[in-house]
Amino acid sequence: MVLNGVKAIFFDLDNTLIDTAGASKKAINEVMEVLIHKNQFREEEAHKICDMFQSKLLHESLDSSKMTIDDLRVQHWEEAMKEIRPGDQMDAARDCYFLWKTRRLQLMTLSESAKAMLCELRKSASLLLLTNGEKQVQREKIEACGAQQYFDAIVVGGEHAEEKPAPSIFFHCCDLLSVKPEDCVMVGDNLDTDIQDQIHDTETKTIKGIHHQQ
């Protein structure tokens, strides 16, 4: 495979290598069935609870000195359920969270074509997985899909002071692989969160970006 001088390729994880959105949607649908048939919520109530949970995910802020990410997300479910039905919802919230988490991880897989692509690319370039997000959540996804074996290095944004698209994390990745920014390509699904800053930063703008749309 001819890569025109590219020595390293950085890959995003979510919605680039694995279908995170699709897995999340299927997992939410399974939780909705539990809410309706086990917890006796009406269908429209179950929809509202799931919508509130997903909204809380988008705006969550974890203080790891006070709670784990699992505890925080159980709390998201509990708060959403209490909006519909006041009272003690902790047991139901735990059930919903761990069903959602377990099924979502089970559904996060690398396709055979993605595996073949990574193996072929690795013959010609170093590969690095660069993903944003809370460290436990992202590490669990990486383990679930078995991505480790296809990469020379893995960098999780939540384990560093800055995440993509900050220049510092790209410099860190380059250092790990002993390559220069101009010899690298970043492959992701979102220009703003994957590499936008690099386009405007005169020192690192030579990192090339490939926008992968699923």
Side-chain angles (χ1 to χ4, degrees):
M1 181 177 291
V2 178
L3 296 178
N4 296 321
V6 173
K7 296 180 180 178
I9 306 173
F10 304 162
F11 277 93
D12 176 45
L13 179 66
D14 293 304
N15 301 310
T16 299
L17 290 176
I18 60 174
D19 183 13
T20 306
S24 296
K25 183 177 180 179
K26 290 177 181 177
I28 281 287
N29 287 339
E30 292 192 27
V31 173
M32 199 173 303
E33 290 297 311
V34 169
L35 287 169
I36 295 169
H37 298 294
K38 179 180 179 180
N39 300 107
Q40 305 302 307
F41 286 97
R42 296 194 302 273
E43 184 173 344
E44 61 270 26
E45 292 175 332
H47 275 283
K48 287 180 181 178
I49 290 168
C50 290
D51 287 346
M52 281 190 279
F53 171 74
Q54 292 178 98
S55 178
K56 289 175 183 293
L57 282 182
L58 293 175
H59 301 99
E60 71 183 2
S61 178
L62 174 67
D63 183 347
S64 58
S65 67
K66 295 182 179 180
M67 64 173 62
T68 66
I69 188 66
D70 289 323
D71 289 339
L72 177 63
R73 292 183 171 181
V74 169
Q75 182 177 295
H76 293 339
W77 280 109
E78 183 186 23
E79 290 174 350
M81 294 169 76
K82 282 185 173 181
E83 285 288 321
I84 302 299
R85 184 185 295 168
D88 183 6
Q89 301 291 349
M90 180 55 74
D91 289 344
R94 286 197 187 98
D95 289 346
C96 287
Y97 170 62
F98 286 106
L99 172 60
W100 172 81
K101 175 181 176 177
T102 301
R103 289 297 294 135
R104 193 170 81 128
L105 288 173
Q106 290 172 345
L107 292 162
M108 290 181 180
T109 58
L110 283 173
S111 67
E112 292 304 314
S113 60
K115 293 176 185 177
M117 173 196 67
L118 293 171
C119 289
E120 186 65 24
L121 287 173
R122 206 173 181 189
K123 295 175 183 178
S124 304
S126 296
L127 302 187
L128 181 143
L129 183 62
L130 174 56
T131 177
N132 281 355
E134 198 277 331
K135 58 185 179 180
Q136 177 187 321
V137 172
Q138 296 308 104
R139 289 290 176 182
E140 287 174 345
K141 292 176 187 175
I142 292 164
E143 182 177 355
C145 71
Q148 303 96 319
Q149 62 188 300
Y150 299 100
F151 291 91
D152 299 289
I154 293 175
V155 176
V156 175
E159 297 174 352
H160 296 267
E162 295 183 301
E163 297 187 305
K164 295 178 296 178
S168 63
I169 201 161
F170 285 95
F171 282 129
H172 174 68
C173 293
C174 290
D175 288 343
L176 283 178
L177 298 181
S178 300
V179 293
K180 297 178 181 179
E182 58 265 32
D183 296 326
C184 304
V185 169
M186 175 73 214
V187 182
D189 68 306
N190 189 308
L191 185 64
D192 290 336
T193 58
D194 281 320
I195 202 170
Q196 187 68 57
D197 278 7
Q198 312 311 310
I199 295 173
H200 302 297
D201 188 278
T202 56
E203 291 185 292
T204 58
K205 65 181 180 182
T206 47
I207 295 179
K208 307 171 187 71
I210 296 177
H211 178 221
H212 169 71
Q213 182 69 51
Q214 282 201 337

